[in-house]
Amino acid sequence: MSLSPMLTEFLNRDCCYDSLFDRCSPATLFRFGRTCQLARRALKDYSRRAYNINKHLSRFFTEPLEFRVLQAQTNAVVSGSTALQFMDRTLYEESDLDLYVTCPYAAQVCDWVIAYGGKGYVFDLSKSIFKSYEKAMKSLDGYYSNGLAAEDGAIDNEASDWDSYRWNRVTRVFNFKSTVPSETNVLKIQVIVTRSSPMDCMLGFHSTVVMNAITYRAAYALYPKGSFEEHRALVCDTKEVRHEQAIEKYKRRGWDIQTVISEDEQSDLLSAFRFENRWVADEKTWVIPFDIDGISEKIKCQSDGEHARTLARALPLSIDPFSLNSFSLFKAPENALVEMKFTLLKPDFFEHRYTACLDFSLKMSFMFHMIQCMRSNPDIAVFPESRKCDLAMASWKSICMRNCTCNMCGDEDERSGHARLSSCPAFSALFNLPGNLASSLFLEN
C-alpha cells in the first residue's frame, strides 16, 4: 500500500514532522516508526536530534563530550530533573544539574567542574558548612579506605532500610554556580557524594517520576510507562529531606501524584508499577543508548595528563556499571506507601558497589563464598587478589535476569528463599551444575 503524496511530502520535511513528534509520547513515536520505512526514517532523524545528549549537556558544560569522559572515568551519574527533562524532551529553566558520585572520585569531579566546566563555575560558599573549597575537599579524606567505606561484609542485607545509620544516603553536597552571565537563571551544579552508590541514592527518591539517570553510556528511565505514558508519579516511602515540596513541584508540572495503587495493579503484568523484582535495562526500563565513539580515545589521550586520574577499569566501556543494578518494588510494612527494597553488594573484589534484589543477592552470597575460597587457595589462580570481578558480575546479572524463577520479592524468610534455589534454573546456570547439587553446596556453606 503506497502512501498519499501529501503524507509522503510531510514525512520528508523535518519542519513538519518535528511539530507532530514533539507532541507524541515515546510509545506513540515507537509505534509510528513501525508503520512504514519512510516513517522509520523520519523518526530516526527526529530522535537523533531530540535525544542528543551532547546538546542537552551543553547547557551546563562547554565541552559535553569531555564531561562524559569524566563520567566514564569516575562513574558519575546525572539524575533528578536533568535526566527527566532529557527523556521528556522538555526544559525547566530554573533547574540545576544533580551529579551523583562516590566518595573516592568526588574531589576529581569537583576539580573538573571548576577547571573545565567552561561556564566559570565557582564553589558556592553561601551553601556550604565549610569556609573554603580546600577545606570542603579535605573533609573527604579518610572517609573511605581504598575507595570503600569501612563496613563489614560483602553484602549489606539492610541497605534499603531507613534506620538511624542509613537515614541519609548522602555524605556531602557541594554546590557550584556559574559566573558567566545567562539569559535566564544562574546555572548551578550540585555534586552529591553518595554513601554507597548513585543507584542507592536514586532508589531513595521521593517518587518514581525522578528515577531516571544519565551515564556516559546511556539514559535510563526505570518507570517509563508511568512517567511518560500515563504521567503518573508513585510516591515512595522515603526520609528524603523536603520531599513534600518536591512532590508538589512535580504536581504543578503536570504529573498525577499517587500514594497507593490497587491490588490488581500490583499484580498486573502490564502495570506500570507492578510489585516485582526489577533490573536496570530490563524490558520495562526505557534505555536510550549513546554513541561512545571518541570516549575511549580521549581517555587514552588524557591518561598522561596533569589532571587525569584514570583507572584500569574492571569493565569495558561497552558495559555500563549502572546497568548491573537491581531492586524490588513492594508495599512498605509500616504504611500504605510503596518501598524500593534492595541489598548492597560490596565485596572487596568488586571495583563498584551494586544494589541487588533479594533473589539475586541470595545467589551472590554463594558466589562470593566460592570466590573467597578460590582466592584463599594458592593453587587456584582464577580470581587473584589483584583482579576485580565486575565483569563476572555482568554475566551473573544477565543469567539471573533471563532465567530466575525464585520470585522472593518481599520474602522476609531467608531460609525459605534458600530452599527455592534448588529449583531455580538461573542458580544452576551460574555454575553449570544440576540444581540439586548447587543447592546442597549453598546450604552447606
Side-chain angles (χ1 to χ4, degrees), residues 215 220 279-281 319-326 397:
T215 70
Y220 303 88
W279 307 78
V280 174
I319 300 179
D320 189 347
F322 188 82
S323 70
L324 304 184
N325 291 289
S326 60
K397 177 250 186 181

Side-chain angles (χ1 to χ4, degrees), residues 96-116:
D96 54 14
L97 183 141
D98 294 335
L99 185 57
Y100 291 80
V101 64
T102 54
C103 195
Y105 312 111
Q108 180 182 358
V109 169
C110 291
D111 289 347
W112 188 95
V113 169
I114 293 175
Y116 304 109

Side-chain angles (χ1 to χ4, degrees), residues 61 158 172 189 258 277 345 443:
F61 306 110
E158 299 177 347
R172 300 283 190 276
I189 294 176
Q258 291 190 262
N277 293 326
L345 306 182
L443 293 175

